[in-house]
């Protein structure tokens, strides 16, 4: 029995970061919905529970609440932000709105006699983001941290092993946040640093075997790191009962279809390549709205897989997908606000013909997926490939997607990537997109009225937030010249210098 800390999800955008930070301490952690029945939480392998933050106010009837009996399970609990307010409110304390929302790095004083803050200096910088705060503690609690603006920045009931922080220890701006989580995991929950990424492999392989039983799996392989890792994992779990289908939807980067086929067909994965470009373009004709494009591409994908399944020996297949955590959170998993439908999540039709979905990476961040890929022995070229969205260039062409526009992006993107790689510049993600803006230019002696290509390069660890990459201007200028000279239909090249948020990484 592996010990773990469960994170109950109350809906913030950064919740998975908490589980991630606990895993970084070599303690297994997973997210569960806040409605998880108490009977499941009684599992003795659960050594502690964390309540996440969330966008709601506890005193609204429709906000997520929790059964008071959870506090009598005898398990240590740490409430964070909304989770702290919920703990106080449920146990009889008082939560009230503050005059002005508090957001950003703040100084607090902490009491290091509390197990949560042991070994820490009195003055701490933490990250606050809240519109309500706890104004009266429930019986049995004492205040263990405060600031000028937040009287109960943290509180504890040591006897019942209940702890709460108004701030976010999981966020980097809380400089000693990881130490606080370490104290919670090791000193309060008494976990030991015993979990290793290899355990993840063993656990997932076993889970896949359990889920799939004697059936088979069709894996949607895009050639990217996520689906390649899934294919390798499922292959380890069920061997030849795996078939991998690679759909060339015509929205891939230049030469990509050929490269993917060359990489994967020699592997023992029953690799099938399907040419479906005409079908995808026909469905995308006249469609401009990005959400609609994603839905169409997602639906075409599934229909293509279903058609392939029908060609196979039986209809006895699960569908495996490389869905990772950020895909789900941005598609509006649980209570988080929906930002867009990732094709492998929100784009799925309700009743697919498969026996079910196999998504072994759904709780991981990209860098964790790469670590798993390395453990599985995948080649570096796959493990370190920059991310490429499932809907492909379909969401890098703003407005209607046509073969001609896709061709422009493919060519411009190939030049951009070639130049950055040749100059040893490797941002986390970099690509060209096509705006739907046409403008006047002058080429040779004549007037042109052509498209503007947008170049985007960002630096990020978790792809939830990102900073624009500072490419030397002389190189940008050289790349622009090459694109204008070599790609027909373009007379302007723009560089996107926005962060995420407020932008996203993709340009759709
Ligand atoms: P955004 O644009 O949401 O991108 O800031 C975050 C990361 O996710 C990738 N992305 C996707 N990946 N299917 C995927 O597999 C999708 O539908 C999708 N949309 C965005 C994006 O490339 C970036 O790495």
């Amino acid at each position: 029995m592996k010990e773990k800390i469960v994170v109950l999800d109350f809906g913030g955008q950064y919740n998975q970061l908490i589980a991630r930070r606990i895993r970084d301490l070599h303690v297994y952690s997973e997210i569960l919905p806040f409605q998880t029945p108490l009977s499941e939480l009684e599992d003795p392998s659960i050594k502690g529970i964390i309540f996440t933050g969330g966008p709601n106010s506890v005193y609204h009837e429709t906000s997520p609440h929790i059964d008071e009996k959870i506090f009598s399970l005898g398990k240590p609990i740490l409430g964070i932000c909304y989770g702290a307010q919920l703990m106080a409110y449920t146990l009889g304390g008082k939560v009230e709105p503050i005059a002005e929302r508090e957001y950003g790095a703040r100084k607090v004083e902490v009491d290091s006699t509390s197990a949560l803050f042991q070994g820490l200096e009195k003055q701490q910088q933490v990250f606050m983001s809240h519109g309500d705060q706890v104004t009266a503690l429930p019986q049995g609690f004492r205040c263990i941290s405060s600031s000028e603006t937040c009287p109960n920045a943290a509180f504890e009931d040591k006897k019942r092993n209940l702890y709460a922080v108004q701030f976010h220890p999981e966020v980097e701006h809380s400089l000693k946040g990881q130490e606080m989580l370490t104290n919670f995991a090791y000193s309060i929950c008494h976990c030991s640093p015993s979990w290793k990424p290899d355990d993840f492999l063993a656990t997932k392989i076993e889970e896949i075997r359990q889920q799939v039983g004697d059936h088979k799996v069709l894996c949607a392989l895009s050639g990217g790191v996520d689906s390649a890792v899934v294919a390798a994992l499922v292959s380890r779990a069920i061997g030849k009962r795996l078939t991998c289908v690679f759909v060339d939807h015509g929205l891939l980067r230049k030469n990509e279809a050929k490269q993917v086929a060359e990489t994967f067909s020699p592997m023992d994965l029953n690799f099938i390549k399907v040419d479906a470009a005409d079908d995808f373009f026909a469905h995308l004709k006249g469609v401009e709205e990005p959400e609609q494009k994603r839905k169409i591409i997602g639906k075409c994908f599934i229909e293509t897989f279903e058609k392939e399944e029908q060609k196979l020996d039986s209809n006895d297949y699960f569908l495996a997908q490389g869905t990772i955590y950020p895909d789900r959170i941005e598609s509006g998993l649980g209570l988080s606000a929906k930002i867009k439908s990732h094709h492998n999540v929100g784009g799925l039709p309700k009743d697919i013909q498969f026996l079910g979905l196999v998504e072994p990476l759904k709780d991981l961040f990209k860098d964790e997926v790469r670590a798993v890929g390395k453990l599985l022995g995948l080649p570096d070229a796959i493990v370190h490939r920059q991310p490429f969205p499932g809907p492909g260039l379909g969401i890098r062409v703003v407005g209607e997607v046509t073969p001609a526009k896709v061709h422009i992006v493919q060519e411009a993107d190939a030049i951009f990537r070639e130049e950055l790689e040749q100059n040893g510049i490797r941002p986390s993600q970099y690509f060209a997109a096509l705006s739907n803006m046409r403008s006047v230019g002058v080429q040779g002696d004549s007037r042109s009225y052509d498209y503007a290509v947008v170049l985007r390069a960002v630096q990020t660890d978790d792809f939830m937030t990102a900073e624009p990459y500072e490419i030397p201007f002389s190189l940008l200028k050289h790349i622009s010249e090459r694109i204008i000279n070599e790609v027909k239909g373009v007379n302007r090249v723009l560089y996107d210098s926005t962060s995420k948020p407020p932008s996203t990484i993709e340009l759709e």
Side-chain angles (χ1 to χ4, degrees):
M1 180 194 62
K2 282 260 173 266
E3 49 185 33
K4 63 182 166 194
I5 291 181
V6 156
V7 177
L8 287 189
D9 185 358
F10 288 93
Q13 285 279 324
Y14 296 98
N15 293 345
Q16 184 68 18
L17 266 184
I18 302 170
R20 164 68 196 272
R21 300 274 180 248
I22 301 289
R23 291 198 293 267
D24 284 345
L25 297 170
H26 302 287
V27 173
Y28 186 63
S29 181
E30 64 188 12
I31 299 239
L32 293 178
F34 75 91
Q35 307 93 329
T36 304
L38 288 187
S39 55
E40 274 182 41
L41 297 176
E42 280 170 358
D43 182 336
S45 69
I46 299 176
K47 298 293 176 202
I49 300 171
I50 298 180
F51 295 172
T52 74
N56 304 80
S57 290
V58 285
Y59 37 78
H60 288 164
E61 262 177 37
T62 51
S63 299
H65 287 102
I66 194 119
D67 186 342
E68 193 178 334
K69 292 198 200 86
I70 194 167
F71 299 108
S72 316
L73 289 178
K75 311 232 185 221
I77 300 180
L78 171 64
I80 295 178
C81 195
Y82 180 81
Q85 295 161 11
L86 186 68
M87 184 186 288
Y89 177 81
T90 314
L91 292 173
K94 204 162 174 192
V95 177
E96 290 178 292
I98 41 180
E100 210 168 297
R101 203 184 150 71
E102 188 168 30
Y103 183 87
R106 295 286 185 275
K107 292 266 180 272
V108 294
E109 284 195 356
V110 302
D111 177 348
S112 61
T113 63
S114 163
L116 192 62
F117 300 134
Q118 79 193 13
L120 298 184
E121 307 263 319
K122 194 169 181 186
Q123 293 278 346
Q124 289 295 328
Q125 179 189 305
V126 297
F127 181 78
M128 294 275 194
S129 170
H130 60 124
D132 293 343
Q133 68 184 11
V134 176
T135 49
L137 298 180
Q139 231 179 5
F141 279 79
R142 72 172 186 120
C143 174
I144 51 171
S145 170
S146 58
S147 75
E148 273 175 22
T149 48
C150 185
N152 294 305
F155 40 95
E156 69 172 16
D157 178 345
K158 192 173 160 197
K159 256 203 192 135
R160 287 193 284 174
N161 254 330
L162 304 179
Y163 296 81
V165 288
Q166 178 56 69
F167 48 83
H168 288 266
E170 74 278 21
V171 170
E172 276 174 15
H173 295 295
S174 295
L175 298 180
K176 297 286 177 190
Q178 188 64 352
E179 278 82 346
M180 296 172 193
L181 293 175
T182 307
N183 285 338
F184 181 69
Y186 295 166
S187 306
I188 297 170
C189 302
H190 303 295
C191 289
S192 50
S194 56
W195 184 78
K196 302 182 295 302
D198 307 47
D199 297 336
F200 175 86
L201 283 193
T203 310
K204 284 296 155 186
I205 288 172
E206 192 42 44
E207 274 177 25
I208 295 168
R209 286 188 184 140
Q210 294 280 343
Q211 185 188 2
V212 174
D214 293 334
H215 303 286
K216 297 175 190 164
V217 174
L218 196 69
C219 176
L221 187 68
S222 70
V225 57
D226 305 338
S227 58
V229 170
V230 168
L233 256 180
V234 177
S235 167
R236 283 247 187 130
I238 62 162
K240 290 198 182 312
R241 283 183 287 138
L242 166 69
T243 298
C244 287
V245 176
F246 166 59
V247 177
D248 178 0
H249 49 19
L251 304 168
L252 296 167
R253 289 169 290 191
K254 189 175 177 179
N255 294 332
E256 188 165 24
K258 198 164 147 254
Q259 280 162 3
V260 170
E262 279 169 6
T263 309
F264 290 96
S265 31
M267 297 185 190
D268 203 8
L269 299 172
N270 295 322
F271 180 86
I272 300 173
K273 175 170 177 281
V274 186
D275 292 310
D278 291 347
D279 197 31
F280 277 73
F281 280 121
H283 281 91
L284 286 168
K285 200 168 169 26
V287 182
E288 294 186 354
E289 207 279 314
E291 249 327 90
Q292 215 188 333
K293 288 197 282 188
R294 282 178 170 274
K295 290 261 154 64
I296 291 172
I297 295 171
K299 193 158 176 282
C300 284
F301 254 117
I302 288 292
E303 285 169 3
T304 313
F305 287 122
E306 285 173 347
K307 274 189 221 150
E308 285 309 305
E309 188 206 15
Q310 279 157 16
K311 286 188 211 156
L312 295 167
D313 46 350
S314 62
N315 53 2
D316 188 23
Y317 282 83
F318 281 83
L319 178 68
Q321 298 199 114
T323 314
I324 66 169
Y325 186 73
D327 302 345
R328 297 198 297 143
I329 198 78
E330 300 206 332
S331 293
L333 162 84
L335 305 168
S336 317
K338 173 167 169 168
I339 294 168
K340 60 190 169 190
S341 303
H342 281 234
H343 84 283
N344 44 6
V345 189
L348 273 182
K350 291 230 161 43
D351 16 83
I352 50 167
Q353 284 173 30
F354 293 93
L355 295 176
L357 286 177
V358 177
E359 295 182 309
L361 309 178
K362 68 179 177 11
D363 292 326
L364 300 191
F365 283 92
K366 198 71 157 194
D367 53 339
E368 293 181 299
V369 174
R370 291 194 209 278
V372 174
K374 239 183 149 59
L375 280 176
L376 283 164
L378 287 175
D380 272 5
I382 295 178
V383 170
H384 294 296
R385 245 180 73 143
Q386 62 157 322
F388 184 63
L393 303 182
I395 56 163
R396 288 184 185 169
V397 169
V398 181
E400 187 188 6
V401 184
T402 63
K405 286 184 180 174
V406 168
H407 180 73
I408 293 179
V409 184
Q410 282 174 331
E411 295 299 320
D413 181 69
I415 294 170
F416 185 39
R417 286 189 291 133
E418 183 190 310
E419 287 291 341
L420 288 200
E421 282 152 27
Q422 266 177 12
N423 282 278
I425 297 179
R426 286 300 299 258
S428 315
Q429 197 166 355
Y430 47 104
F431 57 87
L434 191 65
S435 73
N436 58 353
M437 176 188 105
R438 288 169 79 197
S439 64
V440 175
V442 46
Q443 270 164 315
D445 282 332
S446 43
R447 174 189 191 272
S448 64
Y449 185 59
D450 278 334
Y451 285 106
V453 158
V454 180
L455 303 179
R456 178 116 171 101
V458 294
Q459 199 57 23
T460 171
D461 285 328
D462 56 17
F463 296 83
M464 303 284 282
T465 59
E467 285 301 311
Y469 195 93
E470 291 189 30
I471 298 176
F473 189 73
S474 54
L475 179 60
L476 271 180
K477 198 160 166 266
H478 168 67
I479 295 168
S480 305
E481 279 163 11
R482 271 199 66 191
I483 292 175
I484 298 290
N485 286 330
E486 296 173 37
V487 187
K488 256 186 100 163
V490 182
N491 66 356
R492 213 172 273 269
V493 178
L494 313 174
Y495 188 67
D496 183 346
S497 60
T498 22
S499 308
K500 171 186 180 176
S503 284
T504 57
I505 293 174
E506 295 295 338
L507 196 155
E508 56 192 292

